[in-house]
Structure formats: structure tokens, C-alpha cells
């Protein structure tokens, strides 16, 4: 039997955490009874610098039942870093880790299929939403638009997949080799390769509390994904600069013709030509410089992605 760790990042989840723990415990006990996972399997909550009683609840759960473990980060590092902290902390203790959100929107009933695919030889199993009926029209439209834009920009991500996935210890070992500080795991994990599969599921309504991803955060997250995996936006700026520069040459010829024909105001030719020419040259220069800065910036900081303050695991 395989040892499976459930890895759940948490930020201010006091309203939902006990119910999440209850449902996951029931699911884990069912898996153990059916001999799908070993008794060494655990449920690991990662406290991402919460300001409420999230960590106190995690400590309480750990005291009541050894199936619950907790990781406390030294400060808030964001969902992706908290998730990575959990995966890297537990990878030596399990055969595979299943990551999911704490809000109970991910359907834990499909975990059996995750494990079946893993036993059949898949190193990575992606949870993919079968539909977006629960989303508002705005969120559905923007989410689908995001996946299309990412595909156009050449980023290899799984359509309608968030961070509900199973990763084997082997794939977690390879994930550790990715050193970028600006994390976008939905883009990084497919780069690992290895045999993978998808499991379809329907997303539930949030049990309690508020979403930790309002519109502003979703837009920033999307921008992070685009800038972390593609330099095409910079190349678009470069292309615009080239077009503007060529347009300025056309405008220069036109303004000279108008000047020769005597159909212009004194000084107009010089003004128009200089504005178009300088604007094109500036965008061209910014595009070329940005091509290099964009690549350097992603690798230069080298700051730690997370700092684990405590790890409670019986």
C-alpha cells in the first residue's frame, strides 16, 4: 500500500478548517479500510501566515489525531509558495502527495481515481474541472480567456486545472530542481514530463468564508503566470516598436512631400517627424532592453521561496 500525504495550504481558514479536516479524515479512513493507502498516510495543513486562529486549530487537530500534521511558515508567502513548502517538506515521507484547497471546493470523492492512476504508473495526475457551472459569467469568461491567452503565448498548462493534483515522490524530487522564485506551479509541473493523466470532477460551492482570490489577485496571478513562462509580451512590444519606427519613416516622407508642395504650416514637419521617430525608437529600444531584463529578472533575486517555522508531525 502507498503512503499518501494530503497537502492543504491555508490562509485565514478558521471558518472552514474543522469541516475540511472532518471530511478528509472520513475519506482517509475509507481509503485505509479499502487497502488503498497505508496507515502512515497523513493530512498536512500549511499555515501561510494566517492572522486568525488557523494555526491553533491545526495544533489542536494534531493533538487529537496523529493523522493530522501542520506546517507553519514564518510569514505569509502566498498560495503557491505555501503549497511548495508543504510538498517539499513531506516528499521524503510519502510515496505521493495530493494537493488541494482548504475551501472544500475540490471534490475529494475522486481521490480514489487519483490513486488508481498512480498505481497504474502515472507520476502526475491532474484534477480537471468538467464544467464551470458554479462560476459567474464574468469569472467563467475571464478564466477561459486566460487559458486561451496562455496557449497563444506558448505556455503548456492543463486546461481547467488549478492545483488539485497528485504528484509522486519522483516527480516531487524533480520539482525541487526548478529554482525560480516567482512561482506558477500550473506551468512548472507540466514541464517535468513523466507519465501523467487527468481526472474530471465537478467543483463544489465554498463551504464557508470568503474566496482568497478576489478579482485583483486573480489578475495578478494571471500576469505572474504569463510573465514567468513567456517572453512574448516583450516581443510584442518590440514588434510594436518596429511598426512605429517604420510608420515614422512613412510619416516623414509624407510630411516632406506636403512641405515641398507648400501645404503645411511652418514647423509642422519637424514636429510630427520628431515625435513619431523618437516614439518608435524609444519603443524599439525598450523592447530590446526588456528582452534581456525580463530573462535576468526572473533568475537574479535568488531569495528563499519560503521559511518553515514549525513542522508538527507525529
Amino acid at each position: 500500500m502507498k503512503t499518501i500525504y494530503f497537502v492543504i495550504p491555508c490562509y485565514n481558514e478558521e471558518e472552514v478548517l474543522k469541516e475540511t479536516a472532518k471530511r478528509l479524515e472520513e475519506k482517509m479512513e475509507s481509503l485505509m479500510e479499502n487497502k488503498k493507502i497505508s496507515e502512515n498516510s497523513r493530512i498536512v495543513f500549511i499555515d501561510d501566515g494566517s492572522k486568525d486562529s488557523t494555526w491553533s486549530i491545526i495544533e489542536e487537530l494534531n493533538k487529537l489525531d496523529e493523522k493530522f500534521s501542520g506546517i507553519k511558515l514564518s510569514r505569509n508567502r502566498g498560495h503557491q509558495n505555501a503549497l511548495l513548502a508543504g510538498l517539499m517538506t513531506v516528499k521524503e515521507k510519502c510515496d505521493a502527495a495530493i494537493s488541494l484547497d482548504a475551501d472544500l471546493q475540490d471534490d475529494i470523492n475522486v481521490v480514489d481515481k487519483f490513486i488508481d492512476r498512480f498505481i497504474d504508473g502515472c507520476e502526475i495526475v491532474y484534477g480537471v474541472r468538467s464544467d464551470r457551472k458554479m462560476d459567474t459569467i464574468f469569472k467563467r469568461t475571464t478564466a477561459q480567456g486566460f487559458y486561451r491567452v496562455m496557449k497563444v503565448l506558448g505556455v503548456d498548462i492543463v486546461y481547467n486545472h488549478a492545483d488539485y493534483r497528485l504528484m509522486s515522490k519522483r516527480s516531487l524530487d524533480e520539482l525541487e530542481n526548478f529554482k525560480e522564485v516567482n512561482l506558477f506551479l500550473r506551468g512548472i509541473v507540466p514541464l517535468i514530463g513523466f507519465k501523467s493523466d487527468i481526472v474530471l470532477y465537478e467543483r463544489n460551492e465554498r463551504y464557508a468564508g470568503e474566496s482568497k482570490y478576489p478579482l485583483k489577485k486573480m489578475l495578478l496571478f494571471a500576469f505572474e503566470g504569463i510573465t514567468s513562462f513567456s517572453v512574448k509580451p516583450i516581443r510584442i512590444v518590440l514588434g510594436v516598436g518596429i511598426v512605429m519606427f517604420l510608420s515614422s519613416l512613412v510619416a516623414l516622407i509624407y510630411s516632406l512631400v506636403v512641405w515641398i508642395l507648400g501645404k503645411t504650416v511652418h514647423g509642422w514637419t519637424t514636429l510630427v517627424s520628431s515625435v513619431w521617430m523618437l516614439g518608435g525608437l524609444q519603443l524599439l529600444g525598450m523592447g530590446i532592453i526588456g528582452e534581456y531584463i525580463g530573462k535576468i529578472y526572473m533568475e537574479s533575486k535568488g531569495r528563499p521561496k519560503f521559511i518553515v517555522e514549525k513542522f508538527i508531525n507525529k
Side-chain angles (χ1 to χ4, degrees):
M1 289 183 288
K2 302 294 184 180
T3 299
I4 305 294
Y5 271 53
F6 292 85
V7 178
I8 305 104
C10 305
Y11 178 69
N12 295 341
E13 297 288 2
E14 63 180 7
E15 295 180 67
V16 73
L17 198 54
K18 289 184 178 180
E19 181 65 23
T20 301
K22 176 186 173 184
R23 294 190 190 182
L24 283 173
E25 183 179 22
E26 290 173 354
K27 186 62 185 176
M28 180 172 276
E29 288 176 351
S30 171
L31 291 168
M32 288 178 178
E33 288 174 6
N34 292 324
K35 307 298 182 183
K36 286 207 166 189
I37 63 175
S38 77
E39 293 184 357
N40 294 322
S41 300
R42 294 289 182 271
I43 299 166
V44 185
F45 294 107
I46 304 98
D47 178 25
D48 184 24
S50 298
K51 298 176 182 178
D52 60 6
S53 60
T54 294
W55 179 246
S56 299
I57 295 173
I58 294 171
E59 287 184 310
E60 180 184 341
L61 289 168
N62 176 253
K63 290 176 182 177
L64 292 172
D65 195 325
E66 64 179 13
K67 287 195 290 293
F68 295 105
S69 298
I71 297 170
K72 181 177 175 59
L73 301 188
S74 60
R75 58 181 289 267
N76 178 255
R77 293 296 299 164
H79 178 272
Q80 297 289 279
N81 284 299
L83 176 54
L84 184 70
L87 294 173
M88 293 300 101
T89 303
V90 307
K91 71 182 183 69
E92 298 300 331
K93 303 177 182 297
C94 62
D95 296 305
I98 297 176
S99 59
L100 66 159
D101 292 337
D103 55 16
L104 293 175
Q105 288 189 282
D106 296 324
D107 182 10
I108 60 174
N109 291 318
V110 300
V111 165
D112 304 65
K113 295 181 180 178
F114 277 52
I115 297 171
D116 288 340
R117 302 286 198 283
F118 173 51
I119 293 172
D120 288 340
C122 290
E123 303 284 351
I124 302 171
V125 183
Y126 300 99
V128 174
R129 295 179 62 171
S130 57
D131 58 62
R132 286 187 170 269
K133 293 184 294 186
M134 302 302 300
D135 292 346
T136 62
I137 295 175
F138 175 77
K139 186 171 183 180
R140 187 185 311 129
T141 304
T142 53
Q144 291 173 342
F146 166 72
Y147 285 107
R148 292 191 183 100
V149 169
M150 293 292 278
K151 186 174 182 179
V152 169
L153 294 177
V155 183
D156 181 22
I157 61 174
V158 179
Y159 186 74
N160 271 346
H161 164 70
D163 289 299
Y164 188 22
R165 70 178 75 89
L166 177 147
M167 296 185 70
S168 67
K169 182 185 181 304
R170 182 186 178 198
S171 62
L172 290 174
D173 286 337
E174 296 303 327
L175 177 62
E176 190 175 22
N177 293 326
F178 288 79
K179 303 299 182 182
E180 51 253 59
V181 176
N182 299 296
L183 282 177
F184 185 67
L185 292 175
R186 298 181 202 183
I188 293 175
V189 174
L191 295 178
I192 295 174
F194 295 153
K195 184 179 179 181
S196 63
D197 202 351
I198 66 170
V199 170
L200 297 176
Y201 73 98
E202 291 188 11
R203 195 162 170 82
N204 305 313
E205 289 187 10
R206 186 179 175 87
Y207 173 75
E210 297 179 355
S211 171
K212 303 305 182 294
Y213 269 91
L215 178 60
K216 182 180 178 181
K217 271 196 171 183
M218 286 193 297
L219 291 174
L220 289 173
F221 185 64
F223 185 73
E224 180 70 43
I226 292 170
T227 54
S228 294
F229 283 86
S230 178
V231 294
K232 282 191 178 181
I234 297 175
R235 288 174 179 162
I236 290 171
V237 174
L238 175 61
V240 171
I242 293 172
V243 171
M244 290 293 290
F245 177 67
L246 295 176
S247 299
S248 70
L249 295 179
V250 175
L252 175 61
I253 294 171
Y254 170 75
S255 59
L256 287 174
V257 171
V258 172
W259 176 72
I260 292 171
L261 296 176
K263 296 181 180 181
T264 184
V265 180
H266 181 69
W268 180 84
T269 302
T270 305
L271 179 63
V272 171
S273 300
S274 61
V275 169
W276 280 73
M277 183 72 75
L278 288 173
L281 286 172
Q282 285 173 346
L283 282 173
L284 178 63
M286 287 173 60
I288 294 173
I289 294 171
E291 182 79 26
Y292 293 95
I293 293 178
K295 293 176 180 177
I296 295 170
Y297 177 76
M298 287 189 267
E299 303 296 335
S300 62
K301 292 183 178 181
R303 297 171 184 168
K305 291 182 277 293
F306 56 84
I307 298 174
V308 175
E309 183 177 327
K310 292 181 181 178
F311 177 35
I312 50 176
N313 184 50
K314 292 182 180 178

